[in-house]
Structures are given as C-alpha cells and as structure tokens.
Amino acid sequence: METLKLKSNAFDEGDWIPIRYTARGDNVSPELELVGITQNAKSILIMLDDASHPIFPNYNHWVIWNIPVQKVIPEGIPHGKYVDSLDGAIQGIAYGRNRYKGPKPPFKAIHTYVFTVYILNCKIDSAPNNKKRDLLNRIDGHVLQLATLSGKFQSGRC
C-alpha cells in the first residue's frame, strides 16, 4: 500500500482542535489535505470518530463518501445527504445525521478525535441512511490507501 499523509491547516497531529471545528463552536469541518494519493484512486471516504468515548469506543461523528479524488477537502462541508459542491458526495448517519458534527465531549473531559481517510478504487453504491459499519463492510477489498489525523478537544477549555 502506497503511503498517504493526511494534514490540516487547522491543527497538527495530536494537537488541540480549534473550537471553530467543534460542536461548541461553529461546528464546521476543517480543511483536510491529502498528500500522496495513488493514481488508481476513484473516490474518497472520510470518517470522524471519538476515540475516547467511554461507552461507545470510536463513536462515529461523521461519515461522507464518494468524494471526488482531490488533494484538498474544503473546510465547511455543507449539511445534507448529498453535497453538490463535491459532485454529489453522500453524507451518512452518524452523531451528525447527514452532516459533520464536531467534537463535543462532556465538560472537563479530554477526548481524542480521529479523522480517517480511505482512498478507494471505486465509488460506493450506498444510500445516505447507511452508517459507519455498513460502509466499512462495503469497502472491504476496495481500500487502496488509508491515513489518519487525530486531535484532542476539551469542552470549556480556554
């Protein structure tokens, strides 16, 4: 598998996620930059998970798929099942129902959130009512590359 790097101009790996990108702030998705996308790529899938959730490990906040292959995923992906600005990319069911839902841990708790990008060799034929587990089953055998970017957030942090 070729190496893929995932970066953001909003925060570095392991750093604090700015409040703008959280449900305590503007609740907009951060810009994501992909470095080293394979030439065989056909689509992109992104998930955001709360890796620190005490009851539901890797609690899914956002899932979006059939993003056209591009080096930069823009900030502020609009809400809705279909994203016209991304050639009809589909947002599924997560904590953010058909939309990005940023970090929002209980006050004083520090949680780690992980963006995972999958580079696929196909588009996924799947309805917007699908969830993370449905998509993970559908992409089995179609993942060309994978990269993650993690950040932390604490509600009430100054």
Side-chain angles (χ1 to χ4, degrees):
M1 190 178 289
E2 296 177 48
T3 301
L4 177 70
K5 292 183 182 171
L6 177 58
K7 303 187 310 184
S8 178
N9 62 0
F11 63 96
D12 291 327
E13 172 64 33
D15 281 351
W16 293 100
I17 298 171
I19 195 165
R20 171 173 171 69
Y21 306 103
T22 74
R24 302 268 186 219
D26 296 333
N27 206 24
V28 297
S29 58
E31 179 180 287
L32 299 172
E33 181 184 350
L34 304 167
V35 179
I37 300 173
T38 181
Q39 291 184 356
N40 299 328
K42 300 291 185 221
S43 71
I44 299 171
L45 178 147
I46 301 172
M47 294 184 183
L48 172 61
D49 296 310
D50 179 348
S52 303
H53 197 288
I55 300 170
F56 304 106
N58 295 312
Y59 185 73
N60 188 235
H61 275 243
W62 185 41
V63 60
I64 181 170
W65 65 93
N66 289 349
I67 299 170
V69 177
Q70 54 197 53
K71 292 180 182 178
V72 176
I73 308 300
E75 176 182 281
I77 302 295
H79 298 183
K81 295 176 182 179
Y82 301 96
V83 182
D84 291 338
S85 60
L86 292 174
D87 290 339
I90 303 170
Q91 295 185 101
I93 306 288
Y95 182 48
R97 189 174 181 91
N98 303 115
R99 67 186 187 99
Y100 173 86
K101 178 76 169 191
K104 189 181 177 185
F107 280 97
K108 307 233 184 223
I110 298 172
H111 282 209
T112 298
Y113 294 84
V114 180
F115 289 87
T116 305
V117 171
Y118 300 84
I119 304 298
L120 306 174
N121 65 2
C122 64
K123 282 193 163 188
I124 303 168
D125 183 18
S126 189
N129 62 345
N130 280 315
K131 299 178 181 180
K132 174 184 173 178
R133 76 172 167 271
D134 302 318
L135 292 162
L136 289 174
N137 287 333
R138 288 181 183 269
I139 66 172
D140 187 37
H142 296 285
V143 178
L144 299 173
Q145 294 173 293
L146 178 131
T148 61
L149 174 67
S150 65
K152 55 191 175 186
F153 185 71
Q154 180 181 27
S155 295
R157 180 176 179 267
C158 296

